[in-house]
Amino acid sequence: MKIEKRWVISFVIISIIAISGLFWSPTKAIESSTFNSADTIVAADVAWLLTSSCLVLLMTPGLSFFYGGMVGKKNVISTMLQSFICLGVVTLLWVIVGFSLAFGDSIGFSIAGKHYGLFGNPFQFAFFDQVGHLPHAKMASTIPFILFALFQMKFAVITPAIITGSFAERVRFISYLLFICLFTLFIYTPLCHMVWHPNGLLGSYFGVKDFAGGTVVHMSAGFAALAGVLVLGKRKNSDHIPTNIPFVLLGTGMLWFGWFGFNAGSALSANATAAMAFATTTVASASAMLTWIFFDRLHGRKVSALGACVGAVVGLVAITPAAGFISIPQSIFFGFIAAIVSNKMLYWKKLKSIDDTLDVFACHGVGGIMGMILTAIFAEGENASLLHGGWLVFGHHMAALILVAGFTFFGSIVLYKITNFIIPLRVSEESEIIGLDLSQHDEKF
């Protein structure tokens, strides 16, 4: 049996990583200006963040069912595996260098004596060095730093998994593995640092409000998905009937359930903000689901389980950046308006013509954009948003939106091109006709 050279290289890399762990001597964190003492740990916060981390992890298998039920029968397993494999690939990347790039000391530039970060020091927390039981003084000061790192890891895992729906049924698996490594390192971690690190450029200078990942996760995945569709091109046969709607319903339920950890967990504490984020999350999703199916009927389309599921997810996406910043009535409006805009984009002929297989950009990209805009309008607090006198804050959000869109879209195009240069992204025409389940994995649904 002839084994391709690329698979040999891949196995050598994972072997080196595994063995290197035996010789790595991590440095333990000590009480200092950087780390609090163990006495500052709040047991209730630890319990909630452990629970939230489990909930967010569940979202990735949920996404695999959500996507797997939508594709044609001969591509179900490959589509689900593309989401599921992120649990392995991104987890190791996060431990080795990803967490450092996202939350290490800022590397960037200074304006008026204040430093603004573009990405973190890649060596500071390498192999989770200094990431232990002591809480970080500026990032989640009431829970062990290791728990904060693991909670954030689940966000990093699901982001590239979201992208997969756009180029489903035509991407080579080994190429996809390379791309998600590049995306995590060069798109996700810098964006995460710029938005969520205390000294990050977008959060600290622009004042971008992103409670749980509307910008970091959904906008980045949405624009990367759009870039992937344009680089890979259309499928040979873009007409297919969703194979398993019950899978989509199951996946939606798992996503909705997990999203409570995604949003309410982002309060990083068992407090009133977490409770409010929990409430706005489910209310916005309910509003979007109902709006979607009623809006479909107004356009002559039948009420469908698929439409209800897509609408619910759009609501979850849109509320994510604002979950802890708005009221319950406002969350109803978030779900309502996001569902209408995403629905219109999903059926837009120009977007349909490029063959975004599972409409990732229309749902996650547009949903994330709407969430960011609405957050900049409605977020509560003095000078926190447009409605509260924060004209400058709103302007900064719009400027950041353009920067994030450009960075993630054009950056992803470059990464796709690099990946395609190393290993061709598209499967052969014959493999596409056979289906990726058989041609890539020798398995059958």
Side-chain angles (χ1 to χ4, degrees), residues 240-284:
H240 71 263
I241 299 174
T243 297
N244 196 318
I245 298 300
F247 269 19
V248 180
L249 287 162
L250 173 62
T252 303
M254 293 172 70
L255 284 169
W256 198 331
F257 181 65
W259 225 290
F260 292 125
F262 198 83
N263 285 1
S266 292
L268 300 178
S269 181
N271 57 20
T273 302
M276 183 58 70
F278 195 106
T280 57
T281 296
T282 200
V283 171

Side-chain angles (χ1 to χ4, degrees), residues 71-233:
V71 296
K73 188 173 182 179
K74 57 187 180 182
N75 294 296
V76 174
I77 295 171
S78 64
T79 300
M80 295 183 73
L81 180 60
Q82 285 169 16
S83 292
F84 206 82
I85 200 69
C86 292
L87 287 166
V89 175
V90 180
T91 294
L92 287 184
L93 273 180
W94 192 250
V95 170
I96 296 165
V97 70
F99 183 63
S100 292
L101 287 169
F103 291 100
D105 287 343
S106 292
I107 296 175
F109 55 90
S110 297
I111 300 176
K114 186 172 182 180
H115 191 72
Y116 298 102
L118 299 175
F119 57 91
N121 180 349
F123 304 106
Q124 186 173 6
F125 303 126
F127 284 90
F128 273 16
D129 192 43
Q130 300 185 71
V131 181
H133 71 285
L134 294 182
H136 196 281
K138 294 183 179 179
M139 295 181 281
S141 59
T142 62
I143 62 173
F145 198 36
I146 182 66
L147 179 53
F148 174 76
L150 292 174
F151 178 67
Q152 290 293 339
M153 181 180 75
K154 307 306 189 299
F155 287 70
V157 166
I158 198 171
T159 304
I162 292 170
I163 302 170
T164 63
S166 63
F167 47 62
E169 305 188 327
R170 59 195 183 275
V171 69
R172 193 186 303 269
F173 186 71
I174 186 65
S175 305
Y176 165 71
L177 295 182
L178 175 58
F179 172 76
I180 62 175
C181 291
L182 296 175
F183 174 86
T184 301
L185 295 177
F186 296 107
I187 300 291
Y188 181 83
T189 55
L191 191 57
C192 182
H193 184 88
M194 286 188 281
V195 174
W196 284 335
H197 190 275
N199 297 322
L201 175 67
L202 294 177
S204 183
Y205 180 74
F206 283 87
V208 169
K209 294 182 178 297
D210 187 1
F211 190 78
T215 303
V216 177
V217 176
H218 297 289
M219 276 186 61
S220 68
F223 279 101
L226 182 62
V229 172
L230 295 175
V231 171
L232 270 78

Side-chain angles (χ1 to χ4, degrees), residues 377-393:
I377 296 174
F378 292 100
E380 296 180 347
E382 186 177 354
N383 294 324
S385 61
L386 187 61
L387 290 184
H388 297 276
W391 291 89
L392 186 60
V393 171

Side-chain angles (χ1 to χ4, degrees), residues 344-356:
K344 293 295 290 185
M345 287 296 294
L346 189 145
Y347 290 102
W348 187 32
K349 289 183 179 180
K350 288 187 177 180
L351 199 57
K352 281 291 186 185
S353 67
I354 64 173
D355 194 18
D356 181 346

